[in-house]
Amino acid sequence: MLIIFLLSTTVLLTNSSCLPGMLVVYRLSLRTEWNEKTFPKQFPQWRPSAQWSKTVGYSHSSSSAAPLFSIGSTVSEGVRQFAETGATDTLDLEAANKTFLDAIISPPIEQGVGETTTTIFVDTNHTKVSVMTKLVPSPDWFVGLDSLDLCSQGVFIESVTTEAFPLDAGTDNGFTFTSPNWATQPRGEVFTMTSTFPAHPAGSFNYPHLARLPTLAVYSLTKLREYKLHGQSGTSHHTEQGLTLQDNYQATTERTAESNTNRKLRYDVIDTPKVPNKDIQKLVPILTAADKKSNNKTISNEIPLLDTTPRYKKKIHLLGSKPSTGFRSSSSVTGYHASTSPENFFKKKYESKHLNKAQRKLFSGPLARVPASELYQHILAQYSKGGITLKKKKIRRRKHRRHRKPVNCKVSAWSAWGECSKTCGIGESSRSRVISHHPLHGGQPCPPLTDYKWCGSARNCKTGYFKW
């Protein structure tokens, strides 16, 4: 049966000092299970969505105090900054005054459910591990390991798995993931959050109907490599061979290592018989001797001359008639003719009742009798009246409409935030803006005209509203 260690207390193992001169490499993994189905209360969907910060920590000695946090104790300023904001600037400055073997750091997890891993070092004098990872967003909540000892009964343990319950750093009074910042004065102690504690109905981890919280995160450490100094007889000294590899990895022989070193810059040329590649297709046909004999034609690059002798096809006329000189007879006196014959092409004449009627409206007599000067004056008068100009302007407008530039939507500035929708508890506040210019000709559409944000807090309620 797998024993799951709780983060809220330091893991106690039957411990006796491991052999001197040991150096061990472990793989540290954090698997998270923070999702809306398991933790539905105020589950953060945006600004920002549920995620985890980077994991930071140290491998340190048993005699030194816990370098990060301890259940029931107040945290340092560096831990407070990390628990509230995820920043490690102050924590890095504090590390200069601490004694530890390895500084631990693991990449963040960009969603609520995921995993991150890293490798850490421990030795005989530094067998304990302390790490912490912040929940984002949250007031000052995190998960972590508090001085987990990896040496048990004189040997380094092979693997250990620890369930991580949410911890409160005691530096902020928030009850929900997105609570506004409100520092705790004086600073409180680190405590474990459960389904019933804190007993506040607005708490994001308050599930009084559950006996325990579902699994939020799990830390696991697995031993990868173990090194030991040669010639250990109570004193620590190095031999020429240095460190030897044990347990999970097999040491390579000296002969193989020397052979690999000598062959590092060598290369071999493999002599293989030259076999013609039958996969190559002959795209250009190759003439054999027999083909050349059978083909007596001379191949030349000269272009043969075309036969330019005119060839005429006999035209077959409908009903055996002769070619016509036009669509109508050139001898017609009335009507009109549009002869296709060259000699009659410029002899067009038109007569129409509609044309005569138009001529009578414009001029007193037939168009042929109107003097040229009067005709020119009539045309100039049309220009002065603007009739032709207006027509051209309309054409220009149509062309201009086809090439109009798109106009994007323009909106006004945001109004002030409105009142909170709730006077007690977590509510919403909104602000709005109006459209000052609608989009035209395929311009960008208008952005949202209303914006919302969280407001209020359970701490604004009157005393006695909730059962504390």
Side-chain angles (χ1 to χ4, degrees):
M1 179 179 180
L2 178 63
I3 301 176
I4 299 179
F5 299 88
L6 300 180
L7 285 178
S8 58
T9 57
T10 304
V11 179
L12 299 177
L13 301 171
T14 305
N15 182 30
S16 59
S17 298
C18 291
L19 295 176
M22 300 292 294
L23 178 65
V24 185
V25 182
Y26 278 89
R27 179 177 64 246
L28 172 66
S29 299
L30 172 62
R31 177 174 54 87
T32 59
E33 301 292 342
W34 186 18
N35 57 74
E36 188 176 10
K37 182 178 180 181
T38 310
F39 299 93
K41 291 187 66 175
Q42 297 108 22
F43 183 81
Q45 299 281 2
W46 48 283
R47 294 186 180 180
S49 58
Q51 54 190 283
W52 300 81
S53 72
K54 61 183 177 181
T55 301
V56 297
Y58 310 99
S59 59
H60 54 94
S61 63
S62 302
S63 58
S64 62
L68 286 178
F69 69 93
S70 181
I71 303 296
S73 302
T74 58
V75 297
S76 64
E77 180 61 22
V79 175
R80 181 208 64 80
Q81 183 190 41
F82 179 77
E84 293 185 4
T85 65
T88 57
D89 300 339
T90 308
L91 200 61
D92 294 338
L93 296 176
E94 294 177 353
N97 299 324
K98 297 182 181 295
T99 302
F100 55 88
L101 175 66
D102 186 22
I104 302 170
I105 185 169
S106 185
I109 303 175
E110 297 181 355
Q111 58 272 341
V113 179
E115 185 174 5
T116 181
T117 60
T118 187
T119 55
I120 65 173
F121 292 87
V122 295
D123 64 4
T124 306
N125 299 323
H126 306 85
T127 60
K128 291 188 176 182
V129 173
S130 295
V131 295
M132 60 186 299
T133 311
K134 172 181 170 55
L135 284 80
V136 180
S138 69
D140 58 342
W141 302 341
F142 67 97
V143 296
L145 296 175
D146 179 13
S147 301
L148 176 65
D149 200 342
L150 299 178
C151 180
S152 175
Q153 298 179 355
V155 295
F156 285 97
I157 58 179
E158 293 294 328
S159 64
V160 60
T161 302
T162 305
E163 182 176 357
F165 287 96
L167 302 175
D168 191 308
T171 62
D172 194 284
N173 292 325
F175 285 101
T176 64
F177 295 116
T178 56
S179 294
N181 188 25
W182 186 7
T184 302
Q185 296 295 342
R187 188 172 297 177
E189 300 174 348
V190 179
F191 64 89
T192 304
M193 305 174 67
T194 66
S195 60
T196 57
F197 183 80
H200 196 294
S204 294
F205 286 111
N206 182 255
Y207 295 93
H209 61 285
L210 299 177
R212 66 187 297 275
L213 286 175
T215 301
L216 178 65
V218 175
Y219 284 102
S220 61
L221 291 101
T222 305
K223 185 167 65 174
L224 299 179
R225 296 180 290 275
E226 186 175 89
Y227 300 95
K228 183 178 68 174
L229 292 174
H230 275 277
Q232 285 294 333
S233 59
T235 60
S236 176
H237 64 277
H238 293 273
T239 64
E240 293 182 357
Q241 294 180 351
L243 299 173
T244 58
L245 185 65
Q246 297 179 354
D247 293 344
N248 296 349
Y249 287 78
Q250 296 181 353
T252 308
T253 61
E254 294 183 2
R255 183 177 61 182
T256 304
E258 183 180 0
S259 177
N260 291 337
T261 303
N262 295 334
R263 292 187 302 178
K264 185 176 182 180
L265 300 177
R266 291 180 56 189
Y267 65 93
D268 298 328
V269 179
I270 302 176
D271 295 331
T272 56
K274 295 183 179 180
V275 180
N277 192 350
K278 296 182 180 181
D279 295 335
I280 299 176
Q281 301 295 331
K282 297 180 180 179
L283 299 180
V284 180
I286 301 175
L287 296 177
T288 61
D291 295 336
K292 292 181 180 179
K293 291 181 180 180
S294 61
N295 189 5
N296 296 326
K297 295 182 179 180
T298 303
I299 299 176
S300 175
N301 291 333
E302 296 182 358
I303 300 175
L305 297 176
L306 297 177
D307 186 5
T308 58
T309 304
R311 298 179 182 179
Y312 298 98
K313 292 183 179 180
K314 185 178 181 181
K315 183 178 290 186
I316 300 175
H317 305 290
L318 295 177
L319 301 178
S321 61
K322 296 180 180 181
S324 175
T325 57
F327 293 104
R328 292 190 182 261
S329 174
S330 60
S331 61
S332 300
V333 178
T334 61
Y336 67 93
H337 66 84
S339 176
T340 56
S341 302
E343 63 274 8
N344 295 327
F345 184 78
F346 293 104
K347 296 182 181 179
K348 297 180 181 179
K349 58 182 180 178
Y350 300 90
E351 290 186 6
S352 173
K353 296 179 181 179
H354 301 287
L355 182 60
N356 295 334
K357 189 182 295 183
Q359 289 176 353
R360 287 195 297 271
K361 288 183 178 180
L362 295 175
F363 307 102
S364 58
L367 184 62
R369 299 177 183 177
V370 178
S373 60
E374 185 179 350
L375 180 61
Y376 295 152
Q377 290 178 0
H378 177 74
I379 295 175
L380 293 175
Q382 294 296 323
Y383 277 99
S384 62
K385 290 180 181 179
I388 299 177
T389 307
L390 290 175
K391 187 175 181 181
K392 290 184 177 180
K393 286 183 178 180
K394 290 181 180 179
I395 296 174
R396 291 195 192 105
R397 287 174 185 173
R398 291 175 184 174
K399 292 182 179 179
H400 182 67
R401 289 174 185 174
R402 296 175 186 173
H403 303 286
R404 284 184 179 177
K405 295 182 180 179
V407 179
N408 299 332
C409 176
K410 294 182 180 180
V411 295
S412 63
W414 286 109
S415 64
W417 287 103
E419 296 182 357
C420 191
S421 60
K422 292 184 180 181
T423 58
C424 180
I426 305 299
E428 291 183 356
S429 177
S430 64
R431 61 178 180 177
S432 60
R433 54 186 174 184
V434 296
I435 299 175
S436 58
H437 196 291
H438 290 272
L440 296 174
H441 314 300
Q444 293 183 359
C446 296
L449 302 178
T450 308
D451 189 19
Y452 300 91
K453 73 172 183 177
W454 296 109
C455 62
S457 174
R459 292 183 290 273
N460 296 339
C461 300
K462 297 180 180 179
T463 305
Y465 186 86
F466 293 114
K467 296 180 181 179
W468 294 81

